[in-house]
Amino acid sequence: MNKILKRQQLYNFSKYFKNNITLNKSLKLSNQFNNNNNNYNINNFNYKKLNFITNNNNNNNNNNNNNNNNNNNNNNNNNNNNNNNNNKPKSNMLYSPKDRSYEEAVNALLSLQSNQSIVMSWTKERRDNKEETTKFLMEEMKSYCKTLDIDLNRESIIHVAGTKGKGSTCAITESIVREQGFSTGLFTSPHLISPRERIRINGELISKEKFTNYFWQCWDSLIADFETELPNYFRYLTLLALKIFQEEKIQCTILEVGIGGRMDATNIFPKPMVTGISALGYDHQNLLGNTLAEISREKAGIMKEGVPIFTVSSQLPEAMNVLINHSNQVKSPFSIVPSLDQYRTIANNRIESIGLQGDHQLENASLAIALANCWFKKQTFKDVNEIFINNDSTSTTAAAAENHKQYNYQLNNYSATQFTPLLKSIELGLKNCQWAGRAQHFSDPLHYPNMDFYLDGAHTVESSIVMLNWWKSIVKANTTTNCDTIHILIFNSTGGRNPTTFLAPIFQSINNKEIPNFNKSIIPNIIIEKPIDKKLYIKEIIQSTATTTTTTTTTTPDNAAQITITEVSEPSTWEDFVVECYDKLSNKSHPCIPTDTIESSIEIAKELSENGTKNVKVLITGSLYLVGGVLKTLLREKSID
């Protein structure tokens, strides 16, 4: 069986099945909503789980006999299908909701998560057959959009890919556009606490009521056309967001790519208004490739002919060359954004800080400014001249108000002088932007006296260095109290990422006396909704690095170890594995312990504060799932779940 056919069979994509594997449905569309009495009750919506049937007359005669016997017990409508229903392996793929509540919508959504074995098989297919897979995924996504009446000809889209900073860039862009008076829809991933975080309207996460109503609308429509062949978790959320933004008549839609770019579900619009690529690095190599060039080509897949593409000046040469070459191939006008210090405000000042913490956010802000200005120039909701002329009539000269006319969308000849002074909306958007879990400081004197939590969802080796620079600025600002401060690290990694690559720069800084050593490090078990066998990840890491000895660099892939990984045994749990990797790097200079839950990790940190009598600084990093779990614990009754 060829690889493409294997993938089609794996995902039950009926229209791609060949003649030797016939796919039939055990229930007709008219029967798919039957309840236990075979009577459709529109108020109940107790969906009966559907079965997939594959015919292969050469195999499993005994099973055929069993199926025939079972079919004799069915009603007369099913008897006619006996000859076609031989050898039918059943799969319960469709969730049966108890009601139409928000909670059941979340449960139904979670049911769309693929299990680990399917993900790993599909991952290999995506990587080995990129061109065919891309065509297949995009065609199917278009068919989903057609069912949901999603207009793919909309051009008012800002599309952003990248390895680090793409989510922050989208958040800043949304904040700027909203401050200019446009309605905004922001789709990002992953969420920290609630899936509603992924879909935001005018800066606010979608309400439970709207999420619920639109979720079931999409659910019903997709089932009507595709029965059990529903899109997976991320694709469903993407479709849901696009449907919501369209129905709510959102003027500017900002989409963050999930993984990669070329094959991503968000890459469905043929003509977005503008695209951007934030800093690139190593992540998701199992899907995107092991070299920076391979990864960059996947990210560059969001480029479209005639649509401006912006990127940042910090791109490594290997990545920048790929982006430039691809932009030339697809005729997407390319521009490297100016640094933030090249702009001036209305008061002729530089922007030296923004609402988001961390120096790295300044580069994300520069990309967001270019994306927003380009969108302002091309959008048709407001007169462009009014946007720039009315910037601040008391402070802006007529000449400055004319600068924007020098920008040519088709050429994408962007420069800071064309948009100086900055619009007041840009100043406000930069200042007011908030983005949880990224360089975030949290304190709660009532519940956690004298404790400061510093959360950053960095999870790649490049982002670990960015996070580390932020942590350095924090401990450097408290040098007088560091000797009396207890420093705690709460860390874990997810998705099979090698913890050693992330931790190595941290220990390098500790050894160089750039940051204080941690008094204790805690590795909590992270509970993710879909079941995962983390031992498979341990085996992959050990096997992939068994014969490799590497050194620490700022561009080391996630799957390259910083120690001789063969010295690390194969422990019983992922958390034990992380502890062992940690101890190898730290030489057991301080305690590192695993815990069963995130909550217990927070309690251990709280105990070390001795009821607030000691100053405690807690760094939480390595995974957005970890950061989300910690935030949910810290927020308590304020949870947005």
Side-chain angles (χ1 to χ4, degrees):
M1 182 182 298
N2 63 57
K3 294 180 178 179
I4 298 300
L5 184 55
K6 182 180 179 182
R7 184 178 76 248
Q8 292 156 3
Q9 186 180 22
L10 176 67
Y11 273 84
N12 295 307
F13 291 139
S14 57
K15 65 180 179 179
Y16 284 83
F17 270 50
K18 306 302 181 183
N19 292 331
N20 64 327
I21 301 183
T22 305
L23 182 71
N24 298 311
K25 303 293 186 299
S26 62
L27 296 174
K28 298 298 183 182
L29 184 61
S30 60
N31 291 330
Q32 69 180 11
F33 299 117
N34 285 1
N35 61 18
N36 292 332
N37 296 319
N38 289 330
N39 294 317
Y40 173 55
N41 183 348
I42 194 170
N43 296 317
N44 187 3
F45 286 97
N46 183 16
Y47 299 88
K48 185 170 182 178
K49 295 180 181 179
L50 306 183
N51 299 319
F52 279 100
I53 306 150
T54 58
N55 286 347
N56 188 336
N57 295 327
N58 295 325
N59 297 322
N60 300 328
N61 290 329
N62 291 333
N63 288 338
N64 290 345
N65 293 330
N66 291 335
N67 286 333
N68 287 330
N69 291 333
N70 290 334
N71 287 340
N72 290 331
N73 296 325
N74 293 337
N75 59 35
N76 292 331
N77 289 334
N78 290 334
N79 287 337
N80 294 329
N81 295 324
N82 281 350
N83 293 331
N84 295 324
N85 283 351
N86 295 331
N87 183 32
K88 50 181 183 182
K90 299 182 179 182
S91 60
N92 297 323
M93 296 179 62
L94 189 61
Y95 181 75
S96 296
K98 296 180 293 185
D99 52 43
R100 286 305 179 96
S101 64
Y102 168 74
E103 290 73 20
E104 277 299 278
V106 173
N107 288 334
L109 176 64
L110 292 174
S111 74
L112 299 177
Q113 292 181 318
S114 301
N115 65 48
Q116 189 176 17
S117 61
I118 289 180
V119 170
M120 295 181 74
S121 298
W122 182 235
T123 293
K124 188 176 186 303
E125 294 298 334
R126 281 186 59 170
R127 182 168 176 175
D128 293 347
N129 301 283
K130 288 183 178 179
E131 295 298 329
E132 292 172 315
T133 305
T134 300
K135 181 179 179 181
F136 175 79
L137 290 173
M138 291 301 105
E139 284 181 359
E140 196 190 36
M141 194 68 183
K142 288 177 184 177
S143 67
Y144 290 141
C145 289
K146 183 178 180 180
T147 289
L148 297 177
D149 294 322
I150 293 173
D151 181 12
L152 296 180
N153 293 319
R154 283 184 295 157
E155 295 184 348
S156 191
I157 309 291
I158 299 176
H159 197 198
V160 182
T163 304
K164 56 182 186 289
K166 59 186 171 74
S168 297
T169 298
C170 287
I172 299 170
T173 304
E174 186 279 331
S175 181
I176 292 171
V177 174
R178 175 164 40 87
E179 289 288 354
Q180 189 58 45
F182 294 97
S183 61
T184 60
L186 174 64
F187 177 68
T188 60
S189 61
H191 61 267
L192 297 177
I193 298 174
S194 166
R196 294 188 294 122
E197 297 170 47
R198 300 185 184 220
I199 304 173
R200 296 175 185 262
I201 295 179
N202 297 326
E204 300 292 333
L205 60 129
I206 185 104
S207 68
K208 286 186 176 181
E209 291 74 21
K210 284 187 177 180
F211 183 96
T212 304
N213 291 337
Y214 282 113
F215 181 92
W216 293 120
Q217 286 181 33
C218 293
W219 183 268
D220 294 342
S221 297
L222 290 168
I223 287 176
D225 279 6
F226 297 94
E227 301 193 2
T228 61
E229 299 176 30
L230 299 187
N232 66 22
Y233 184 91
F234 179 78
R235 301 179 96 196
Y236 192 101
L237 278 171
T238 304
L239 292 163
L240 179 61
L242 298 181
K243 181 67 173 177
I244 290 172
F245 297 155
Q246 178 176 290
E247 297 303 311
E248 295 293 320
K249 296 180 172 30
I250 295 301
Q251 294 172 315
C252 179
T253 296
I254 301 105
L255 302 177
E256 178 194 2
V257 167
I259 295 176
R262 185 159 58 99
M263 301 187 208
D264 194 73
T266 60
N267 196 28
I268 192 63
F269 290 95
K271 281 285 183 180
M273 196 160 283
V274 58
T275 58
I277 297 178
S278 65
L280 297 178
Y282 291 92
D283 197 16
H284 301 294
Q285 292 98 301
N286 57 343
L287 276 174
L288 308 179
N290 284 323
T291 69
L292 190 57
E294 287 179 294
I295 293 169
S296 301
R297 277 190 286 272
E298 290 301 306
K299 307 286 185 179
I302 69 168
M303 297 182 189
K304 305 293 188 300
E305 182 177 353
V307 177
I309 175 70
F310 291 92
T311 194
V312 293
S313 60
S314 68
Q315 299 288 14
L316 293 171
E318 186 179 1
M320 188 70 82
N321 291 337
V322 170
L323 298 183
I324 292 173
N325 290 336
H326 193 78
S327 70
N328 291 331
Q329 290 175 10
V330 301
K331 298 179 181 179
S332 175
F334 183 85
S335 181
I336 300 173
V337 299
S339 61
L340 195 59
D341 61 8
Q342 294 184 48
Y343 294 97
R344 293 295 183 275
T345 66
I346 294 172
N348 200 31
N349 296 322
R350 292 182 178 181
I351 299 287
E352 297 183 351
S353 63
I354 63 174
L356 302 184
Q357 294 186 36
D359 291 341
H360 61 287
Q361 295 291 5
L362 301 180
E363 181 178 70
N364 297 330
S366 66
L367 178 56
I369 290 172
L371 293 171
N373 277 328
C374 181
W375 189 88
F376 289 151
K377 288 284 292 181
K378 187 66 174 174
Q379 57 79 34
T380 58
F381 300 103
K382 293 183 181 181
D383 182 84
V384 175
N385 291 319
E386 288 186 10
I387 293 176
F388 292 95
I389 290 175
N390 292 335
N391 188 16
D392 189 333
S393 58
T394 61
S395 308
T396 307
T397 65
E402 293 289 308
N403 286 344
H404 74 93
K405 295 181 179 180
Q406 299 172 21
Y407 174 67
N408 186 305
Y409 179 88
Q410 285 73 30
L411 298 177
N412 197 17
N413 59 333
Y414 189 94
S415 70
T417 57
Q418 297 164 348
F419 297 95
T420 296
L422 286 171
L423 293 173
K424 191 66 178 178
S425 60
I426 293 179
E427 286 189 61
L428 292 174
L430 295 177
K431 177 182 177 181
N432 297 331
C433 181
Q434 296 181 344
W435 197 229
R438 285 79 171 177
Q440 179 184 0
H441 174 224
F442 178 92
S443 63
D444 183 353
L446 179 62
H447 295 103
Y448 303 99
N450 217 15
M451 295 184 70
D452 292 278
F453 297 88
Y454 299 89
L455 306 99
D456 192 278
H459 50 275
T460 69
V461 64
E462 294 88 0
S463 59
S464 75
I465 294 170
V466 172
M467 176 279 303
L468 184 57
N469 288 332
W470 172 60
W471 179 245
K472 286 178 184 177
S473 68
I474 293 167
V475 295
K476 184 178 180 180
N478 296 275
T479 51
T480 57
T481 60
N482 276 337
C483 58
D484 299 321
T485 299
I486 296 173
H487 296 91
I488 299 171
L489 174 66
I490 297 179
F491 167 82
N492 206 337
S493 57
T494 54
R497 295 180 178 89
N498 190 336
T500 307
T501 58
F502 189 95
L503 293 169
I506 296 176
F507 282 101
Q508 187 174 5
S509 291
I510 291 175
N511 294 335
N512 293 337
K513 309 296 184 183
E514 296 171 339
I515 60 174
N517 204 348
F518 295 100
N519 299 86
K520 177 167 283 192
S521 295
I522 308 170
I523 315 297
N525 178 29
I526 303 175
I527 305 298
I528 300 175
E529 289 93 347
K530 57 184 177 182
I532 293 176
D533 183 1
K534 297 178 183 178
K535 288 186 179 180
L536 290 176
Y537 292 146
I538 298 173
K539 291 178 180 179
E540 282 191 352
I541 293 173
I542 293 176
Q543 290 173 1
S544 67
T545 58
T547 58
T548 304
T549 302
T550 63
T551 56
T552 304
T553 69
T554 59
T555 58
T556 305
D558 271 352
N559 63 355
Q562 304 303 317
I563 60 175
T564 306
I565 202 72
T566 51
E567 296 176 2
V568 177
S569 62
E570 189 175 323
S572 58
T573 68
W574 171 263
E575 286 66 40
D576 289 336
F577 174 71
V578 175
V579 169
E580 191 166 349
C581 292
Y582 190 100
D583 287 342
K584 290 287 183 182
L585 288 170
S586 69
N587 292 318
K588 298 186 177 181
S589 60
H590 60 277
C592 179
I593 60 170
T595 60
D596 292 333
T597 65
I598 289 174
E599 291 82 358
S600 59
S601 299
I602 300 297
E603 286 304 312
I604 291 172
K606 189 174 182 179
E607 289 172 4
L608 291 173
S609 73
E610 297 183 7
N611 295 321
T613 60
K614 292 187 177 181
N615 183 35
V616 173
K617 293 187 182 300
V618 186
L619 174 63
I620 301 103
T621 190
S623 165
L624 280 168
Y625 291 104
L626 172 62
V627 167
V630 170
L631 277 176
K632 189 171 184 177
T633 300
L634 295 176
L635 288 170
R636 295 172 181 259
E637 69 278 358
K638 300 176 185 177
S639 175
I640 61 173
D641 195 12

